[in-house]
Structure formats: C-alpha cells, structure tokens
Amino acid sequence: WTGPPSLEFMFAEASALELRWSIDELPTDLVINFELEMADPSEGRFVLIYTGPAVDQRVEHLACGPDYMFRVRALTSQHVSNFSNVLTLRACAAPQAPARLRPCLESSGAGPLALAWDPPSDSGGCPIKEYIVLEDTPNGTVQLAVTRDEKFVPEPQA
C-alpha cells in the first residue's frame, strides 16, 4: 500500500465510540494487522488500545463529554505504515428533547406565529449545535427548518 490508513468516525454513544479504517490497496500476499491508539484527555499521550486484523473497533468505557484523540497504522511482517491523521472525537448520548415549546409573537406583532423553546436540561454531554423543527401533517412529518437558535420564525407567505 502507499500511505497511512484512513480513519473515520462511525457513531457515538454516552460512553462509547465506533471507528472504522481502511488502506488504499490491500496486498493479497501479506497478513495485515492494525494498531489503534487513543490519547486520553487526562494523560495526553497515545496508548495502544487495539491490535488485530479488524477494520473497525468499538471503544468503550469513555467519559461522556471530554475529547479523545485516535490514530491508526497498518503493519505487516515487512512494513509498518505511518499513523493516520489524528481524529478528535467526543462520546455523547442523545440529548433530551427541548423543553417548554411555546408560541410567541415577533416584535412587530404581525406575520406568522413563531415558536420558541428552552434548551434540553440534558444535552447528552455535548453542545447542542442545531435544532430541527418538524411539523406533523396528515401526509406525514415535514421538516420546516434547521436552526441554531431556540426560536423558529416561519417565512411570511406571499
């Protein structure tokens, strides 16, 4: 193969992360193993957490919230690759739903009715980056907007 493995994030839970990696070309005549290393936020140095032929790994027993750094490299009996780029990730659970959904009027007092809400009391250990506003209709659920604010103001109808 010609370069280091490519490391990617698959999903996160409150105390676990799933990672996957690949190399650009798999030599058919060599047995390839991988070494996955993690830097714990309290230690700051990389430690080996997995060695083997698998191309994915579930990393468990993580604290919810701190950043963890990961890197991987490929090994054969004849060659050791460079480490992949470092991937910095955080274990998070799904946040609770926003609280106190309520209608509100815009300052002008005219136009469509807006919605406001309070942020969830438990964010799952990670910052809330955006809210997705959905509407239930007789034909199914419709996405109205994606917003970073705790407010949704619909566009006025022409």
Side-chain angles (χ1 to χ4, degrees), residues 108-133:
S108 67
L113 192 63
L115 296 172
W117 54 87
D118 294 339
S121 59
D122 181 356
S123 69
C126 292
I128 302 292
K129 294 188 175 188
E130 61 189 19
Y131 296 93
I132 300 171
V133 181

Side-chain angles (χ1 to χ4, degrees), residues 40 52 80 82 87 116 136:
D40 184 292
V80 177
N82 291 328
L87 194 58
D136 286 332

Side-chain angles (χ1 to χ4, degrees), residues 58-106:
R58 181 178 171 84
V59 183
E60 297 183 323
H61 310 294
L62 302 174
C64 186
D67 290 336
Y68 292 89
M69 295 181 292
F70 297 91
R71 65 185 185 183
V72 65
R73 68 179 173 180
L75 308 111
T76 69
S77 60
Q78 302 170 9
H79 182 72
V80 177
S81 76
N82 291 328
F83 278 102
S84 65
N85 288 335
V86 173
L87 194 58
T88 302
L89 300 169
R90 184 179 292 175
C92 299
Q96 289 182 345
R100 292 187 352 107
L101 178 64
R102 58 198 177 275
C104 63
L105 292 174
E106 283 300 284

Side-chain angles (χ1 to χ4, degrees), residues 21-76:
W21 51 86
S22 61
I23 55 176
D24 55 3
E25 294 177 23
L26 287 172
T28 57
D29 59 339
L30 298 173
V31 175
I32 296 180
N33 282 311
F34 296 94
E35 289 184 345
L36 177 65
E37 294 187 343
M38 178 182 79
D40 184 292
S42 63
E43 295 288 324
R45 62 181 177 81
F46 281 95
V47 294
L48 182 65
I49 60 170
Y50 170 77
T51 300
V55 294
D56 60 356
Q57 184 67 30
R58 181 178 171 84
V59 183
E60 297 183 323
H61 310 294
L62 302 174
C64 186
D67 290 336
Y68 292 89
M69 295 181 292
F70 297 91
R71 65 185 185 183
V72 65
R73 68 179 173 180
L75 308 111
T76 69

